[in-house]
């Protein structure tokens, strides 16, 4: 049973390594994937900055001085900001319903809601006695215009995310299924077949699981626990190859294991640690993987010692890939840092729980 599972994985390599082209997706799926995802902190911050910039510039046209401008800016902010936040909250609450609409329907819904929010802002000013309802058309038009800018930005963000994800998937597969890594693993298994068949079987099982995850359909996010299991399979394979030169240390916080992150994002960091820390050093290196929950944030660290305190410098493609994918999923809530200090190279990820 195990042999057939392993064999089936390798028989599928020739065609499974091709990620599904974006062109094969239905047009309505391509056009509206994650368009109205306004529940993220980064989107809210950008929307608030946009509204505040418009209000600040608009107040300049009628202000008679600095004090008058500050007064008008505060007054208009009291109406425009609640209107924008209302638009964001409603869109966030209805994003699944909006995702079922065609592209034209999405634009119409966004603009109509923007017009209503513009009227809501005017109503606040009228209630406080600073405006009258004769400007209803202008307020509705302004609300629709700002909403149109927001929808355009969200659509651009969604369309930029899809080809980036496809490109990232291809880069990941190329990084993970490197020919020399596959050949080295198979050669290690062949060398063990006669002397240690059980160890050879275990190595092939780890390799099978590694490829099974790498060739699976891409998902938006997976639990951290799954990424840790995948890294464990990879390190088990490399342990056979490097023996005592590869020393692995784990420090795992189980309360952080449910955090969501892009699939196949931890393994390239571990692979980098082995490639630049263990492989070029005759005495090997220590690779340490740690996770820790800090309130609503999960901190993930991958650390390795480097030969001679520096090691061979890479081209940074794997790190850039991880950074970009983390930004696409978590926006400003996800953080990525890497540094080489005192002979230790560390990559640090922060993701919301």
């Amino acid at each position: 049973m195990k042999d057939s599972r392993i064999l089936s994985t390798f028989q599928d390599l020739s065609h499974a390594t091709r990620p599904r082209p974006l062109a094969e997706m239905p047009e309505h799926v391509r056009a509206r994937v994650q368009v109205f995802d306004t529940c993220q902190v980064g989107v809210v911050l950008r929307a608030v900055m946009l509204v505040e910039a418009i209000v600040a510039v608009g107040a300049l046209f009628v202000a008679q001085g600095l004090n008058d401008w500050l007064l008008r800016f505060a007054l208009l902010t009291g109406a425009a900001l609640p209107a924008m936040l209302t638009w964001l909250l409603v869109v966030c609450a209805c994003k699944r319903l909006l995702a079922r609409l065609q592209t034209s329907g999405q634009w119409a819904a966004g603009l109509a809601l923007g017009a209503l929010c513009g009227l809501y802002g005017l109503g606040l000013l009228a209630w406080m006695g600073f405006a009258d309802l004769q400007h209803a058309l202008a307020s509705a038009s302004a609300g629709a215009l700002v909403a149109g800018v927001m929808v355009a930005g969200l659509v651009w963000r969604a369309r930029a995310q899809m080809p980036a994800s496809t490109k990232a998937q291809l880069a990941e597969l190329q990084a993970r299924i490197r020919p020399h890594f596959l050949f080295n693993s198979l050669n290690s298994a062949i060398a063990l077949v006669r002397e240690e068949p059980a160890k050879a079987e275990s190595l092939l099982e780890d390799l099978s699981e590694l490829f099974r995850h790498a060739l699976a359909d891409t998902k938006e996010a997976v639990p951290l626990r799954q990424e840790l299991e995948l890294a464990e399979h990879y390190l088990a394979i490399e342990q056979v190859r490097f023996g005592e030169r590869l020393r692995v240390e784990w420090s795992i916080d189980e309360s952080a294991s449910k955090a969501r992150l892009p699939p196949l994002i931890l393994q390239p960091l571990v692979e980098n640690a082995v490639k630049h820390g263990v492989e070029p050093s005759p005495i090997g290196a220590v690779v340490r993987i740690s996770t820790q929950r800090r309130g609503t944030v999960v901190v993930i660290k991958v650390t390795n010692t480097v030969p001679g305190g520096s090691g061979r410098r890479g081209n940074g493609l794997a790190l850039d890939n991880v950074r970009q994918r983390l930004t696409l999923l978590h926006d400003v809530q996800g953080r990525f840092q890497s540094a080489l200090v005192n002979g230790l190279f560390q990559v640090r990820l922060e993701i919301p729980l």
Side-chain angles (χ1 to χ4, degrees):
M1 184 67 179
K2 292 181 179 179
D3 293 340
S4 61
R5 180 164 60 88
I6 294 172
L7 181 60
S8 64
T9 300
F10 288 102
Q11 286 177 337
D12 292 338
L13 288 180
S14 60
H15 60 275
T17 54
R18 296 193 301 268
R20 186 182 181 188
L22 186 63
E24 292 182 7
M25 298 182 184
E27 175 64 28
H28 64 282
V29 174
R30 283 183 284 155
R32 66 190 186 215
V33 172
Q34 295 296 321
V35 170
F36 287 97
D37 191 7
T38 62
C39 308
Q40 298 191 20
V41 176
V43 175
V44 175
L45 290 177
R46 294 184 186 101
V48 170
M49 292 175 63
L50 171 65
V51 169
E52 291 294 87
I54 294 174
V55 168
V57 173
L60 287 174
F61 284 96
V62 293
Q64 301 300 319
L66 178 60
N67 291 335
D68 187 38
W69 175 81
L70 289 174
L71 178 63
R72 292 178 182 276
F73 176 72
L75 182 64
L76 292 175
T77 295
L81 200 54
M84 171 53 71
L85 293 177
T86 300
W87 188 88
L88 291 171
L89 288 173
V90 173
V91 168
C92 176
C94 302
K95 64 179 182 179
R96 293 185 178 180
L97 179 62
L98 292 171
R100 299 175 184 174
L101 301 176
Q102 297 296 327
T103 303
S104 57
Q106 292 180 343
W107 277 92
L111 294 176
L113 180 59
L116 291 176
C117 289
L119 293 175
Y120 167 65
L122 176 64
L124 290 177
L125 289 177
W127 177 67
M128 292 184 291
F130 294 107
D132 53 59
L133 298 180
Q134 68 179 0
H135 300 298
L137 180 59
S139 297
S141 299
L145 180 61
V146 175
V149 174
M150 285 298 302
V151 173
L154 292 171
V155 170
W156 173 84
R157 182 175 182 270
R159 290 180 176 175
Q161 184 174 356
M162 286 184 292
S165 298
T166 303
K167 182 179 179 180
Q169 182 187 12
L170 178 59
E172 293 154 13
L173 291 175
Q174 290 173 340
R176 264 149 220 63
I177 311 175
R178 296 180 300 163
H180 75 267
F181 167 70
L182 177 59
F183 295 152
N184 288 335
S185 301
L186 292 177
N187 286 334
S188 297
I190 292 172
L192 293 170
V193 165
R194 294 184 178 180
E195 297 182 0
E196 299 181 76
K199 198 171 184 179
E201 182 180 7
S202 177
L203 185 150
L204 290 175
E205 288 179 5
D206 287 324
L207 191 60
S208 174
E209 286 301 318
L210 183 64
F211 278 109
R212 191 174 298 279
H213 281 84
L215 303 180
D217 292 335
T218 301
K219 300 178 181 178
E220 181 183 356
V222 296
L224 174 58
R225 181 183 296 106
Q226 179 176 318
E227 287 294 288
L228 291 172
E229 291 174 355
L230 185 61
E232 188 174 0
H233 285 300
Y234 172 79
L235 288 171
I237 295 171
E238 294 290 47
Q239 189 76 69
V240 174
R241 177 185 171 196
F242 292 106
E244 296 182 354
R245 290 172 59 197
L246 173 57
R247 300 178 293 280
V248 183
E249 297 179 359
W250 298 87
S251 179
I252 306 301
D253 184 352
E254 291 298 333
S255 63
S257 297
K258 293 183 179 180
R260 312 287 290 183
L261 66 167
L264 297 171
I265 200 173
L266 185 59
Q267 192 269 336
L269 301 180
V270 177
E271 183 176 354
N272 251 23
V274 173
K275 180 179 179 181
H276 298 290
V278 182
E279 189 172 345
S281 174
I283 61 173
V286 177
V287 177
R288 190 172 191 270
I289 300 99
S290 67
T291 63
Q292 183 181 13
R293 178 177 178 177
R294 298 180 180 176
T296 59
V297 176
V298 172
V299 179
I300 306 168
K301 297 179 182 178
V302 178
T303 308
N304 65 275
T305 55
V306 294
S310 60
R312 181 167 58 90
R313 186 177 180 85
N315 51 28
L317 291 179
L319 299 183
D320 288 340
N321 185 11
V322 170
R323 182 185 294 106
Q324 292 170 10
R325 298 183 66 218
L326 191 66
T327 301
L328 285 174
L329 181 62
H330 292 300
D331 205 355
V332 296
Q333 292 178 285
R335 295 183 180 181
F336 177 96
Q337 294 177 319
S338 63
L340 175 62
V341 180
N342 297 328
L344 291 176
F345 183 80
Q346 183 181 96
V347 176
R348 174 190 173 104
L349 307 179
E350 292 186 17
I351 57 176
L353 187 61

